[in-house]
Amino acid sequence: MDGPGDPPEGTPEGVPGGGEDEYRSVVFDESFIRAARLQEFSARERMGDHALAVRNRHVWARVSTSRQVLVLVILIALAFGTAVYMGLRHPYKDAAVPVAEPMHSTVIPLAPRDAVPGGPAGRLFDRSPAAQFRLGEEGVTLPPARSTQHFSESQVMGALAAAKEYTVKSALDPAVLVGGAQRTLRVLLDPAQLDQFDRSFDHPSNDGRHAATGWLIRFDPAQVALVSTPVRTQGVFTVAETAPGTLEVSGDHTFVYALRPAKAGADLGTEADGASLFTVRRTMRFRFDRDGLQDHHLTVVQSYLQAGPESCSADDAAYLRPLLAGRRASVDGPAVTDPYTTGQDATPLCGSLAQSAQPHG
């Protein structure tokens, strides 16, 4: 095989020719280098068989993907915000129920014009308007329970049952009437009212909020005893939905008690000659929300009570102060109040006990 040919411009000067120079095959002069044809392969050609099977993304494709991700994030955020907004503004969502408000109470003594009639309890009842009343709890009846716009029939029945339980325990339970056992009522109250309830018994006051007799009916056991005959009772309950999340039950009841003077160790029975009747007309308003119905709790919103026979000067904050058989009301009338002076307590109220409300004949 012949060696490499001479360069196009001939053999360089000073270089031996032929095979005498062993480096002739690897030495190139300047004219050879200039005459060489250079070719630059593309990246794909340089990779040859090592080219990857996955096509490369162009820059605009990466930019487009970033935009798609951004749009997706925005759509998710909008969807979440819409869901939250609709949840807060849902037309069927219950309105927020206010925190339990303080109980407001009013106790009005009813003064008799004459001496209080006395005699056997049975005869006194028979000759009074209470002759047609039912006995004890039988007179605390419930109306039919009907659903309201936002409360089911069973929820309405639960509210009525709780109102009845409170009414019976606060006005008919002998342990409450003369024993002062108020715990059975305390467990029925909304926890937000417990402080007010406790203060009403620890420090009773006629300030319209802290009278013990606003929560229940009770007599001073040192002064008064119950004659062992059933209390005569009559009254009704009504139900109203006052707000989408609030149900109110109102009770209007009259209770007639047979009382006698407290005597240690004496049991005068139902025909005690020294018995007299004491009448209480009480209206109460109870409030319920869904949580209260579930927990069997109620809020006493208002208590309005008229009781007699009593003297107008009777202090009814801690106990009701009945006038017993043969007693007369004091001549003291309602306290005089100057309407131009601010900062004073509310004016004491007093009424006159109708003659028809007393036993006759």
Side-chain angles (χ1 to χ4, degrees), residues 226-238:
L226 292 172
V227 174
S228 54
T229 186
V231 179
R232 300 306 195 266
T233 309
Q234 178 176 275
V236 295
F237 287 105
T238 56

Side-chain angles (χ1 to χ4, degrees), residues 98-104 190 192-193 196 209 215 246 248 285 287 299-302:
V99 177
E101 63 181 78
M103 184 272 290
H104 299 271
D190 186 300
Q193 284 194 316
Q196 182 189 10
R209 294 192 177 188
W215 300 96
T246 304
E248 287 194 357
R285 187 155 56 96
R287 180 172 295 163
T299 298
V300 181
V301 179
Q302 187 174 31

Side-chain angles (χ1 to χ4, degrees), residues 4-18 21 23-34:
D6 294 334
E9 298 181 2
T11 302
E13 295 181 358
V15 177
D21 187 355
Y23 299 105
R24 179 182 180 84
S25 60
V26 295
V27 176
F28 305 101
D29 62 3
E30 183 179 355
S31 61
F32 182 88
I33 293 174
R34 287 199 302 267

Side-chain angles (χ1 to χ4, degrees), residues 254-326:
T254 300
F255 307 96
V256 184
Y257 305 88
L259 306 176
R260 61 175 175 81
K263 293 182 179 179
D267 184 5
L268 302 182
T270 59
E271 298 299 322
D273 291 337
S276 61
L277 301 185
F278 186 79
T279 303
V280 176
R281 168 78 179 277
R282 186 178 72 171
T283 59
M284 299 196 76
R285 187 155 56 96
F286 306 100
R287 180 172 295 163
F288 299 86
D289 56 31
R290 297 188 187 280
D291 292 338
L293 288 172
Q294 184 175 355
D295 298 335
H296 200 63
H297 287 155
L298 55 78
T299 298
V300 181
V301 179
Q302 187 174 31
S303 173
Y304 181 85
L305 185 146
Q306 302 174 56
E310 285 191 332
S311 293
C312 288
S313 58
D315 182 0
D316 288 325
Y319 298 100
L320 297 178
R321 308 289 182 179
L323 292 173
L324 300 178

Side-chain angles (χ1 to χ4, degrees), residues 86-144:
M86 292 301 293
L88 295 175
R89 302 285 295 180
H90 197 284
Y92 300 104
K93 185 178 178 65
D94 290 343
V97 179
V99 177
E101 63 181 78
M103 184 272 290
H104 299 271
S105 64
T106 303
V107 181
I108 301 178
L110 300 178
R113 297 178 180 177
D114 302 315
V116 177
R123 187 180 69 186
L124 293 175
F125 277 124
D126 291 341
R127 296 179 179 180
S128 76
Q132 305 302 318
F133 288 8
R134 295 184 177 183
L135 304 180
E137 188 175 345
E138 295 178 0
V140 186
T141 58
L142 297 178

Side-chain angles (χ1 to χ4, degrees), residues 147-153 155-156 241 244-247 290 293:
S147 62
T148 64
Q149 184 176 359
H150 297 90
F151 290 88
S152 66
E153 180 178 329
Q155 289 174 320
V156 174
E241 182 181 322
T246 304
L247 198 66
R290 297 188 187 280
L293 288 172

